[in-house]
Amino acid sequence: MKAYAVLVVYNKKLTDCPSFCSAVKEPDVQLLVVDNSTDELIHNQEEARKAGAWFLSMNGNKGLSGAYNAALDRLESESGDWVVLLDDDTVIPDEYWKQLRQEVPDAIRLPVVRTYHGEIISPAEMKHDIPRSAKSLDCISNITGINSGMAIPKRLMLTYRYDENLFLDFIDHQFLKDMKQSGESVRILPVELTQDFSADAENIESAMNRFRILRSDLKVFYRQNPWKFRFLITKRKIKLYLQLRNLEVFCG
């Protein structure tokens, strides 16, 4: 197996990223770090070099789609079996790499991703073009999932480029939607990852900043279905209010 792991980091030291520590240990995995950081005190290039990882600086936060496209441009001429997408807040067990070595790169693989509370957040089911938690992993009729741990046959990434109008959210759902429409298969990788789900903000300022990004991305994703956009935004506002007990969430 030859895999390229793409890790996008934002204002976080590589040594604090469990996925970085996991990928650099694997001899048949070439890690590519794409740094979207805006914090001038974050210096990841030297740490990446010492670990044998490739490094790309985006010179500021260009969004997740922009970072992925820069990574794909860098990997375009490289030969290999897989492109693996890693989040900076996901714990990747050794079993993940062992299982991936047993897989033939004939379909996109989605591992099972849980929050620290045990909730399964990926794979999920796309119902009426809205991602919902799957009741059972055995009978998902229209599979979708998140980027974290997604393993993609490298041949699929030779021509695909992400829509940079999507800054952070629903990039994964759009990618899988595009792939399925082109006839590609998506299968579950029987291994579990654990993610510190970043949507659970604890203060009003960070929550509202995160909400504004979500609102912008949902508007792009549902540009043909504005009622779904309004439905999901209202749902998110109610969730934020119940979480923060602050009426400001309804003003954003």
Side-chain angles (χ1 to χ4, degrees):
M1 180 189 79
K2 178 61 178 180
Y4 299 93
V6 177
L7 171 61
V8 179
V9 291
Y10 173 70
N11 290 349
K12 194 170 186 177
K13 294 181 179 180
L14 286 176
T15 50
D16 294 332
C17 301
S19 51
F20 171 80
C21 300
S22 171
V24 294
K25 295 187 304 181
E26 304 300 323
D28 48 2
V29 177
Q30 176 59 58
L31 178 61
L32 172 58
V33 175
V34 187
D35 201 330
N36 257 340
S37 296
T38 57
D39 186 341
E40 295 181 357
L41 298 178
I42 300 290
H43 302 286
N44 284 322
Q45 186 168 6
E46 181 60 20
E47 193 65 43
R49 186 193 66 79
K50 288 192 297 183
W54 296 340
F55 183 86
L56 285 176
S57 174
M58 297 300 290
N59 298 308
N61 189 2
K62 302 301 192 300
L64 189 58
S65 288
Y68 281 163
N69 285 339
L72 294 181
D73 289 343
R74 172 64 180 83
L75 298 176
E76 186 173 10
S77 61
E78 304 289 341
S79 61
D81 301 305
W82 298 99
V83 174
V84 176
L85 305 182
L86 300 177
D87 282 358
D88 62 13
D89 55 3
T90 306
V91 177
I92 311 291
D94 293 342
E95 287 75 15
Y96 173 87
W97 304 109
K98 292 177 183 177
Q99 183 64 44
L100 189 61
R101 290 186 183 96
Q102 300 176 32
E103 303 291 329
V104 177
D106 58 352
I108 299 164
R109 300 303 201 280
L110 293 176
V112 178
V113 183
R114 294 182 183 268
T115 68
Y116 282 116
H117 304 295
E119 176 189 0
I120 294 178
I121 54 178
S122 183
E125 186 159 19
M126 191 68 87
K127 290 187 176 181
H128 307 294
D129 212 25
I130 296 176
R132 301 181 186 276
S133 298
K135 294 182 179 179
S136 171
L137 297 179
D138 298 325
C139 55
I140 301 177
S141 60
N142 189 5
I143 193 170
T144 189
I146 65 174
N147 288 315
S148 186
M150 186 189 298
I152 307 162
K154 190 177 182 301
R155 63 179 174 80
L156 299 180
M157 309 309 279
L158 293 176
T159 57
Y160 188 85
R161 290 302 180 267
Y162 290 85
D163 181 358
E164 296 190 20
N165 291 308
L166 291 170
F167 189 80
L168 181 61
D169 292 300
F170 276 59
I171 293 168
D172 32 28
H173 301 305
Q174 184 63 61
F175 171 77
L176 292 173
K177 183 178 180 179
D178 292 340
M179 286 292 139
K180 287 185 289 183
Q181 286 178 345
S182 65
E184 299 297 334
S185 299
V186 183
R187 299 175 189 164
I188 297 176
L189 189 70
V191 64
E192 292 194 2
L193 314 184
T194 305
Q195 183 171 3
D196 181 13
F197 199 42
S198 59
D200 295 331
E202 295 181 354
N203 63 75
I204 188 66
E205 182 179 359
S206 61
M208 290 309 297
N209 286 337
R210 186 70 181 80
F211 173 75
R212 281 188 281 270
I213 294 172
L214 174 65
R215 181 177 58 190
S216 177
D217 286 341
L218 286 181
K219 195 169 186 178
V220 172
F221 187 83
Y222 291 110
R223 50 184 169 258
Q224 303 299 326
N225 297 284
W227 72 267
K228 292 181 182 178
F229 163 74
R230 291 191 293 270
F231 168 76
L232 289 174
I233 286 301
T234 301
K235 184 178 178 180
R236 182 59 182 167
K237 285 183 176 182
I238 293 172
K239 181 179 179 180
L240 277 177
Y241 173 73
L242 294 175
Q243 177 185 341
L244 301 171
R245 297 296 177 179
N246 192 316
L247 289 173
E248 187 179 338
V249 299
F250 293 106
C251 302

